[in-house]
Amino acid sequence: MWIIKLAWKNLWRNRSRTLISVAAVFFAVLLSTIAESLKQGVFENLVKNVVSFYTGYIQVHKMGYQQEQLLDNSFEEDSRVKDAIQSATNIRVIAPRLEGFALASSEALTKGCLIIGVDPAFENEITGLRARLVTGVFLNNRDTGVMLSEGLAKRLKISLQDTVVLIGQGYHGATAAGKYPVKGLLRFGSPQLNDKLLYMPLPVAQDFFSAQQLITSYVVSLHTDKELNQTAMQVSKQIGDQYEVMTWEELLPDIKQHIQTDSNNMKVVQGVLYLLIFFGIFSTLLMMMLERKFEMGMLVAIGMKKSKLVQLFLTESVLTVLIGCIAGLIASIPLVYYLKKYPIKIGGETAKAYERFGFEAIFPTSTSSSIFLSQALAVLIIGLVLSLYPVYKVIRLNPVTAMKK
Amino acid sequence: MPKTVIDAHTISKVYNPDTIPVYAVNNVHLHLEEGEFTALVGPSGSGKTTVLNMIGGLDKPTEGNIYINEVDITKLSQSELINFRLHNIGFVFQSFNLIPVLKAKENAEFIMLLQGVKKKEREARLQQLFKEIGLEDKMDVRPAQLSGGQQQRVAVARALATRPRFILADEPTANLDSVAASKLLDLMEKLNREEYMTFLFSTHDQRVIDRARRVITLVDGRIASDTAAVSTEFPHG
Ligand SMILES: Nc1ncnc2c1ncn2[C@@H]1O[C@H](COP(=O)(O)OP(=O)(O)O)[C@@H](O)[C@H]1O
Ligand SMILES: [Mg+2]
């Protein structure tokens, strides 16, 4: 107990040095927590965006569809398959889709479009399609109309209640043709999608493509993205090898790559940060040891066991690092929450790239409690590793040389 | 029959034995009885500190043996030596004896804490010690608020606190003015007379040398003279 008291008093013998050490630890925890929470926040946000944007977390296709995205690679909508997927843990919603290309015509113009036959209610559960509706009504599965992306409507110079004529190739080379009333307009951030998407209820699409009972994919959303790969594996095992199970990471390798790169860059930043902290604390430690060399020698000379002296220095280090860590934690919590509520806005080219995908150009933070704890712990460990230096010095201490002027 | 407290047999300390050997201490015999008040004198570099360090178990002689109360301390391990010092030897150094963040009394209490002395006993001892050194009114003062002479007296109190066999003081007055030096010597003499505490101190100050009952003179690491005959006849009590 008296060791702790003495350690505490020693902390304040050189107030500014102790404050520098505490501040180093404090900023270390603060900055590394913010860096980590930004890293994870951006990552989570991107995944959420990507997934809820179009692909879903997981898609189930007929084997080979990803390579050749043709109607001929569709498969029969089957409650057994659906049940098999559902039987995996962590599955939230399963939505069927039938996708195919066609030509869309108004009275004057013809443009290419991507037809997506969906069950609107399920689709909305996964991609939030209803929120993209800017005018008109959101279809239900028994409707006979279609919803156009705004850009496509503009290119065709048609609006709500007009009729769109679709011509294309159906299943196994059948001719596909039909006339459909425009019931709603949807807005997508990405120009590529906004200029060519056309949604229709699944039965209508199956009818149009002469693909009765057929779909090209089941789009799956999960309760938590933490077990993405395990879930995909489980599903794959359940439904057998006529089907391919693809995660969003496989469906959108570019985005996965982008996240990986960003996250690696952040790791470098954090590494540099840790290094700065390391040397910041180390230099104050060096100064302290130099200043107290004589005193250490004197204490051992008069009969203080080295183990006691080690205890004293360890207590001093632990107190310093702990104060800094706790203060850093306390300060980082409101800051991280603030940055979640008022996220940092991205600027320049990157912002444009984000917006093209229809994502908000922001850097939100993640407030997962594990971030605070892991970063505080990391700094704490750095601090404790550093405090082994005085321990080493004490063990090697020779009172005679230490007390030499 | 007086009791022997220090018995150093032909001790030598050689630095750089492999290159250019330096004999810091060369074949020194030193025999101290309980109750002595002995000065180790000699010019700077004559080996005073080295002798005291070896006797105090801080440094090992290259050759020779040192018996303290019949224990050969040259045979003890580093950690045994620390414990031995704590229980048998009081140290007073030239300066910076005290822990700056502790009050005067806490500095003396510190060493009793190392010994594991009970609180009640510590407090009684502190009262007694500070009365002896005449600094009862400075017990709660930090070292920085004390004069150099007062700091050295607190160092003596700390050395005494553990009830050692003897006190080693390496140039305890070197940083003091003559009045403070004289007062420190008064205190040491009083403790020697009243408590029969054995002192071995080094100095090169003639006024301090004059106060010693026995003077051992070192020149180039060898004993040049020793007034031992005089010292043992001091009537005490
Ligand atoms: N570590 C060392 N290496 C080499 N020589 C040393 C070392 N320590 C002390 N000496 C030498 O030993 C001699 C005695 O030194 P010291 O005991 O400090 O003398 P004093 O205390 O009488 O001034 C000196 O000549 C000094 O230079
Ligand atoms: Mg000396």
Side-chain angles (χ1 to χ4, degrees), chain A residues 9-10 13 294 298 300-301, chain B residues 85 91 96-97 100-101 106:
Chain A
K9 285 176 183 165
N10 275 332
R13 71 194 298 167
F294 180 91
M298 189 269 293
V300 173
Chain B
R85 295 198 292 266
F91 288 93
F96 302 112
N97 272 289
V101 297
E106 290 169 337

Side-chain angles (χ1 to χ4, degrees), chain B residues 107-174:
Chain B
N107 265 285
E109 188 181 16
F110 174 80
I111 201 155
M112 290 190 275
L113 283 164
L114 292 178
Q115 281 189 324
V117 174
K118 295 267 177 332
K119 185 171 170 76
K120 252 209 171 116
E121 200 184 326
R122 290 200 308 265
E123 281 182 350
R125 184 96 177 113
L126 284 174
Q127 290 299 331
Q128 181 203 346
L129 285 168
F130 276 78
K131 200 170 158 207
E132 257 171 335
I133 63 171
L135 290 175
E136 295 144 290
D137 56 333
K138 303 283 189 199
M139 287 179 83
D140 290 309
V141 164
R142 294 279 164 90
Q145 263 98 52
L146 295 172
S147 70
Q150 290 170 332
Q151 289 184 26
Q152 289 304 75
R153 275 146 70 194
V154 174
V156 169
R158 182 188 63 193
L160 273 179
T162 60
R163 303 179 192 281
R165 309 283 178 162
F166 58 91
I167 290 179
L168 293 178
D170 193 3
E171 309 215 25
T173 60

Side-chain angles (χ1 to χ4, degrees), chain B residues 2-133:
Chain B
K3 223 176 127 197
T4 300
V5 285
I6 301 170
D7 192 11
H9 284 284
T10 58
I11 51 168
S12 297
K13 181 75 184 180
V14 188
Y15 288 108
N16 317 322
D18 305 322
T19 54
I20 311 151
V22 178
Y23 272 81
V25 173
N26 199 342
N27 262 312
V28 163
H29 292 264
L30 203 97
H31 188 94
L32 246 76
E33 311 264 282
E34 196 173 16
E36 281 199 39
F37 197 70
T38 301
L40 193 59
V41 308
S44 184
S46 57
K48 306 182 293 293
T49 298
T50 310
V51 167
L52 290 181
N53 283 346
M54 290 191 290
I55 290 171
L58 295 171
D59 210 351
K60 294 226 169 174
T62 316
E63 286 155 42
N65 300 82
I66 299 163
Y67 295 89
I68 307 281
N69 300 306
E70 277 136 34
V71 176
D72 184 355
I73 63 165
T74 60
K75 299 271 191 304
L76 299 181
S77 71
Q78 285 304 317
S79 63
E80 285 170 333
L81 273 173
I82 294 177
N83 203 40
F84 187 85
R85 295 198 292 266
L86 177 62
H87 290 95
N88 296 281
I89 308 172
F91 288 93
V92 178
F93 302 102
Q94 188 176 323
S95 54
F96 302 112
N97 272 289
L98 307 178
I99 303 172
V101 297
L102 295 183
K103 294 171 184 169
K105 69 167 182 198
E106 290 169 337
N107 265 285
E109 188 181 16
F110 174 80
I111 201 155
M112 290 190 275
L113 283 164
L114 292 178
Q115 281 189 324
V117 174
K118 295 267 177 332
K119 185 171 170 76
K120 252 209 171 116
E121 200 184 326
R122 290 200 308 265
E123 281 182 350
R125 184 96 177 113
L126 284 174
Q127 290 299 331
Q128 181 203 346
L129 285 168
F130 276 78
K131 200 170 158 207
E132 257 171 335
I133 63 171

